[in-house]
Structure formats: structure tokens, C-alpha cells
Amino acid sequence: MIEKSVNTALGQIDQQELQHLITVSTGFIDAYIIRCHQKVPMLLPQNIVLSAMDTPTNVEHIEWHDLKLPIFAVHDPIQEQGVALVVEGEDVSQRFALICDEMPESIRLRISEIVDEDGDVEDQKVFKYVKMGEKRYFVPNLQNIETQLGL
């Protein structure tokens, strides 16, 4: 279910790294709920976010530790200030900055509370839609986002 979704969404992460993302013994995952402009919110495991920083939203890249990271924007385009989340890649060259409106909500989820939605997903940046209670979220397809950014 969600473990498979997260595993596939994160691409080639090996089993040991996945253990850090999902604590199997407790059945919990720490995640961010990220508001996305004109989309359902994104559900992103906290363990793949390396850093968060305030940033203007009209930048071409984010400078982080002497790297110029490409941007994947989910913020409201009229907003001038936002937060950049540095997202880990399999390799340093695959890191990117996700720019959102504000620091996302942090939540600890019981994996059994998350239900995968059936059906085809048309947006290549979306791996899977899931529901938590009555609320709908999407799990990003990080591999496709990296490809779109030319990483």
C-alpha cells in the first residue's frame, strides 16, 4: 500500500534507506503536508528533506552548500516569498529545491491510516493519490520530477 507507493515514488532507494523513511516496527511515517497551488496537497516523507529555508519565489535556482539546485515550484505564483525544501536525490547531482508557499505542516502518520486510491494518474509528477480520512493527497514521483528538471 503506502510503503509500496513511497518506495516506488522514491525511485532507486535501497531497502536500508527505506527503513529510515518508514519505521516498520512502529508502523509510522513522518511526513510533510505541502500545499500545492491548484492541486491537492503533497505528502512527502520528512527524511528526504535535507534543509528548509526562506526564499524569494522568483529565482532560477537555489544556492545550497555551494550547489545551484534546480527548482520544482508548487507555490502560488503571485506569492513573492516562500520556503525552499532541499530534496535528497540518489546522488548529489539529483538534489533539487521544492518551492512552496510556507513551511509545510509536519505530521506523524500511522501507515494503516493511508489508503491508496485506485485509478490511472495522468500527471507524470504524481506517483499515486492517497486518502487519509476524507482528505486526498498525492505522493510525488520524484524520479519523474528529477527527469523533468534535467537531473
Side-chain angles (χ1 to χ4, degrees):
M1 213 162 41
I2 189 70
E3 183 173 345
K4 180 181 176 191
S5 299
V6 171
N7 188 20
T8 305
L10 298 177
Q12 301 298 321
I13 292 180
D14 68 26
Q15 191 61 37
Q16 184 178 5
E17 290 173 301
L18 186 60
Q19 295 285 332
H20 294 286
L21 296 176
I22 299 173
T23 307
V24 178
S25 62
T26 62
F28 287 96
I29 180 172
D30 292 321
Y32 286 123
I33 296 174
I34 302 169
R35 287 191 337 206
C36 299
H37 182 67
Q38 296 184 338
K39 288 187 177 185
V40 299
M42 177 190 300
L43 197 57
L44 187 69
Q46 287 182 15
N47 293 47
I48 65 169
V49 176
L50 301 175
S51 181
M53 63 194 94
D54 293 329
T55 184
T57 58
N58 63 345
V59 294
E60 293 182 14
H61 62 271
I62 297 293
E63 291 192 27
W64 185 75
H65 293 281
D66 297 327
L67 297 172
K68 290 185 178 184
L69 301 176
I71 291 172
F72 179 66
V74 297
H75 69 280
D76 185 335
I78 63 170
Q79 191 162 321
E80 294 179 7
Q81 290 290 316
V83 171
L85 302 176
V86 177
V87 178
E88 175 70 283
E90 186 177 329
D91 184 76
V92 171
S93 65
Q94 294 174 310
R95 291 179 181 157
F96 65 91
L98 186 143
I99 297 186
C100 47
D101 290 331
E102 61 194 2
M103 187 63 196
E105 176 186 355
S106 178
I107 187 167
R108 175 165 269 197
L109 305 169
R110 185 177 302 278
I111 293 173
S112 61
E113 294 177 299
I114 308 283
V115 178
D116 289 351
E117 283 190 356
D118 292 328
D120 294 333
V121 177
E122 295 180 19
D123 186 343
Q124 291 188 346
K125 295 175 288 284
V126 174
F127 170 68
K128 188 79 154 170
Y129 288 99
V130 297
K131 277 199 165 184
M132 187 171 45
E134 294 299 313
K135 292 188 179 184
R136 187 176 193 222
Y137 302 91
F138 78 91
V139 176
N141 187 324
L142 297 178
Q143 193 168 26
N144 285 352
I145 291 170
E146 290 168 4
T147 301
Q148 175 191 343
L149 295 174
L151 301 175

